[in-house]
Amino acid sequence: MMIISFISQKGGVGRSTLARAAAVESVRSGASTHLGDLDSKQQTSAKWAERRDNAGIFPVVETGVYRRHDVVMKAANSYECLIIDTRPYADTSSLDIARQSSLVVIATGTSVDDLEPSLLLGYELMHKGIPHNRLLYVVGKAPSLAEGRAAIETINSWNFICISNFLTFKAGYSITLDAGHAITETPWKTLNRRARNIVHDILARARQSGN
């Protein structure tokens, strides 16, 4: 059993985008996978899954909306991989989820407004007992290559683990998500390659943490 939680301290930094892609690639790998959407108000992942189903896109990503984190955690007993898309703004439920996760992915943008709360969140999780090696940062929506690299350097300077690849801000990703596809399923090879490198790294680290 592998549980990957996607957490952020702000909305709009790519948390749900990464969770959906991880779910798709996990299914493609052959693992029975469930995507739990804890944002019962916006239901970003659940609505995306509905668009995906309506368009007949494969593989099918089994998705559910949950108001309570303890309920979604029970789903872990029925699947090989549970992907949890948490609510924006980490709360006590995020901490409980993090404690039970094989890997906690913290999504962040490149600006100081995004990075600072994300890094402080990492410190808070560590202070609450989450092992350092189970926290993984991913930089998304970088306006430029230079800003993406700078964000990674900042995260590393705080002694956190960060994936060396990052997502650039591209309209192709948004168009793809709107159509019910994941960011690893765009019509553009370059965008797919960058996204898959990130998502496959996440899944590999989660498997390693779960062993």
Side-chain angles (χ1 to χ4, degrees), residues 139-157:
V139 174
K141 297 187 176 181
S144 68
L145 296 180
E147 287 170 279
R149 295 188 187 107
I152 291 174
E153 289 178 4
T154 298
I155 294 167
N156 289 335
S157 72

Side-chain angles (χ1 to χ4, degrees), residues 105-145:
V105 178
I106 301 176
T108 182
T110 60
S111 69
V112 173
D113 287 342
D114 290 338
L115 282 169
E116 186 175 83
S118 298
L119 291 165
L120 292 175
L121 172 61
Y123 272 156
E124 181 181 356
L125 290 174
M126 287 179 58
H127 180 71
K128 295 293 178 60
I130 309 302
H132 177 270
N133 61 359
R134 278 175 31 207
L135 300 178
L136 179 66
Y137 281 80
V138 179
V139 174
K141 297 187 176 181
S144 68
L145 296 180

Side-chain angles (χ1 to χ4, degrees), residues 66-194:
Y66 300 86
R67 292 182 181 274
R68 292 170 44 187
H69 69 279
D70 57 324
V71 177
V72 71
M73 297 306 295
K74 292 179 181 177
N77 297 321
S78 303
Y79 299 90
E80 294 172 280
C81 181
L82 174 61
I83 307 287
I84 304 177
D85 181 12
T86 65
R87 304 179 187 90
Y89 309 107
D91 54 16
T92 54
S93 68
S94 301
L95 176 60
D96 289 340
I97 291 168
R99 284 177 172 148
Q100 300 179 66
S101 296
S102 309
L103 186 69
V104 179
V105 178
I106 301 176
T108 182
T110 60
S111 69
V112 173
D113 287 342
D114 290 338
L115 282 169
E116 186 175 83
S118 298
L119 291 165
L120 292 175
L121 172 61
Y123 272 156
E124 181 181 356
L125 290 174
M126 287 179 58
H127 180 71
K128 295 293 178 60
I130 309 302
H132 177 270
N133 61 359
R134 278 175 31 207
L135 300 178
L136 179 66
Y137 281 80
V138 179
V139 174
K141 297 187 176 181
S144 68
L145 296 180
E147 287 170 279
R149 295 188 187 107
I152 291 174
E153 289 178 4
T154 298
I155 294 167
N156 289 335
S157 72
W158 283 52
N159 295 318
F160 285 115
I161 303 168
C162 184
I163 288 182
S164 58
N165 292 299
F166 55 88
L167 290 175
T168 50
F169 187 80
K170 297 291 185 181
Y173 286 136
S174 299
I175 293 170
T176 295
L177 288 167
D178 288 347
H181 292 277
I183 56 171
T184 55
E185 302 173 310
T186 78
W188 299 279
K189 293 181 179 180
T190 301
L191 296 186
N192 289 344
R193 183 171 60 250
R194 181 176 288 272

Side-chain angles (χ1 to χ4, degrees), residues 4-16:
I4 310 174
S5 56
F6 289 80
I7 295 176
S8 66
Q9 194 65 316
K10 294 183 64 177
V13 293
R15 183 196 67 257
S16 296

